[in-house]
Amino acid sequence: MSTVILIALAVIALGVSLRKDKDKTIKTVKQARNMMKGMLSDIVGILLLIGLVLTLIPSETIESLIGSESGFLAVVLSAVLGTITLIPAFVAFPLIGSLKSSGAGLVTLTAFLTTLTMVGFLTMPLEIKTFGKKFTIIRNGVSFVFAILIALSMGVIL
Amino acid sequence: MKLIKKNKILFVAIVAYILVLFIKPAYFVEGLKQSKYYFIEMLQILPAVFILTSLIQTWVPTPVIMKYFGDGSGIKGYGLSFLIGSLSAGPIYAAFPVCKTLFKKGAGIKNIMIILSTWAVVKVPMLINEAKFMGIEYMVVRWVLTVVAIMVMAVIVGRLLKPSDIKMTEEKMMIDHSVCILCGKCLNEYPDVIVKTELGFTIRDDKEASEEIKNVCPVGAIR
């Protein structure tokens, strides 16, 4: 269903754009193609790894490690894992989707997903260079705490 | 080596598969089978995600929103910060230079917090992707919680930090005197940036780095 919405949205947007400015639209499509090319190897790599993880790690193990009963420590550890990992955000969704279907809990997955994009350990040197140490540490610290709060709230609501 | 570095994740995946092939061939096939489902799913949405992202960049380019930004205060400023973050493409570190430019224009800590956080988490094509793999309910609830969290975070960090706490390290240019041939081309073209001293040519302290000035040197001594 959401695939249909997404594709329809892209097609409509593309149509409108084509009518407004043909050259600009062609350039945009080329840009999209280049963007895809640039990320293709990461995407293929992650998808291959997802298959391997699902095969090698039995779902009982996933459930006991990061399942919905796994407790606060598991949530914090997932958040830490998200902080130190650097993968494109949209391959993160199939990744956590696959973990969810093998028994991982929403709270741990949300913690991982949120810190993955909002808190960055590997990008910290760059952030410090841009904004200075104080801002970087406070921003990442506050974001980490809030990622856990968001995750815990998800568990309460859903 | 460069190829491996560029395709790090893929390389790890291939090595892992080769190892599995030797240790337990059955898992090799099973792993590929499991991946197949996600490949098909991703193939359906990938072109659409990238086209939408690029279209947004073309028709609502970040520099245009930045023009309306003003000093970023008030509801309008926060709204525009939100728009910049959610409509721009790229990972969070692509947001750093944008924030730097806006900060120089007078944006506050709150604006920068909003831009960086929304840039990271709130992206229209990503939301559909999220709904696909995690369900619409999950996506909506997480979106609402995240937006609330971003607002609260902006207020907290805005209280904790003063604008003077942000140290914008200006990129400084320098002239490498072991390379410089004292041709004087830089002085001719940028007399307000370059000064001649007994050491040779140097750059005035208050000048920011600029590619144009660097390119003027025929031997590449300015960097």
Side-chain angles (χ1 to χ4, degrees), chain A residues 3 28 41 48 90 98 129, chain B residues 7 17 38 58-59 129 132 169:
Chain A
T3 312
T28 308
S41 104
L48 283 174
F90 60 83
S98 69
K129 226 178 121 192
Chain B
N7 303 298
Y17 268 88
Y38 291 97
T58 304
W59 292 107
N129 190 4
K132 178 180 174 58
T169 41

Side-chain angles (χ1 to χ4, degrees), chain A residues 1-3 5-7 9-10 13-14 16-17 20-21 24-25 28-29 31-33 35-36 39-52 54-56 86-91 93-101 106 109-110 113-114 117-119 123 126-132 134-135 138-139 142-143 146-147 149-150 153-154 157-158, chain B residues 6-10 12-14 16-17 20 27-28 30-32 34-35 38-39 41-42 44-55 57-59 89 92-93 95-97 99-100 109 112-113 116-117 120-121 124-126 128-138 141-142 145-146 149-150 152-153 156-157 160-162 165-169 171:
Chain A
M1 182 58 192
S2 40
T3 312
I5 297 174
L6 178 69
I7 293 174
L9 213 66
L14 203 60
V16 173
S17 174
K20 274 188 93 172
D21 192 329
K24 242 182 172 176
T25 309
T28 308
V29 173
Q31 192 190 323
R33 204 185 54 196
M35 224 153 66
M36 207 154 111
M39 289 176 106
L40 202 61
S41 104
D42 274 1
I43 297 168
V44 173
I46 297 275
L47 295 182
L48 283 174
L49 284 176
I50 289 177
L52 209 56
L54 291 182
T55 310
L56 293 181
L86 193 64
I87 55 171
F90 60 83
V91 276
F93 294 116
L95 175 66
I96 64 167
S98 69
L99 290 173
K100 184 186 146 204
S101 43
L106 281 184
L109 292 180
T110 309
L113 181 64
T114 309
T117 45
M118 220 157 56
V119 189
T123 52
L126 195 62
E127 195 173 342
I128 291 175
K129 226 178 121 192
T130 318
F131 301 108
K134 199 168 175 189
F135 176 84
I138 290 188
R139 189 195 74 81
V142 170
S143 300
F146 271 86
L149 289 179
I150 292 174
S153 317
M154 287 296 281
I157 296 168
L158 291 181
Chain B
K6 230 180 115 193
N7 303 298
K8 229 181 306 160
I9 298 179
L10 184 60
V12 170
I14 291 172
Y17 268 88
V20 169
Y27 281 0
F28 178 84
E30 184 58 29
L32 284 181
Q34 293 267 16
S35 297
Y38 291 97
F39 269 110
E41 295 288 304
M42 284 306 266
Q44 289 171 1
I45 60 165
L46 262 180
V49 168
F50 280 110
I51 283 179
L52 269 180
T53 310
S54 298
L55 279 175
Q57 278 293 297
T58 304
W59 292 107
I92 188 168
Y93 48 83
F96 296 163
C99 289
K100 200 170 166 176
I109 305 270
I112 292 183
M113 257 328 266
L116 287 177
S117 311
V121 196
V124 180
M126 291 302 159
I128 305 175
N129 190 4
E130 178 170 357
K132 178 180 174 58
F133 288 102
M134 297 299 285
I136 287 179
E137 201 191 2
Y138 177 91
V141 174
R142 197 178 82 96
L145 284 174
T146 307
I150 288 172
V152 179
M153 265 161 38
I156 293 177
V157 176
L160 286 174
L161 288 172
K162 294 184 295 294
D165 284 326
I166 292 193
K167 288 194 182 55
M168 293 279 178
T169 41
E171 276 179 46

Side-chain angles (χ1 to χ4, degrees), chain B residues 80-101:
Chain B
L80 285 175
S81 304
F82 206 89
L83 273 185
I84 291 175
S86 49
L87 293 180
S88 305
I92 188 168
Y93 48 83
F96 296 163
V98 173
C99 289
K100 200 170 166 176
T101 312

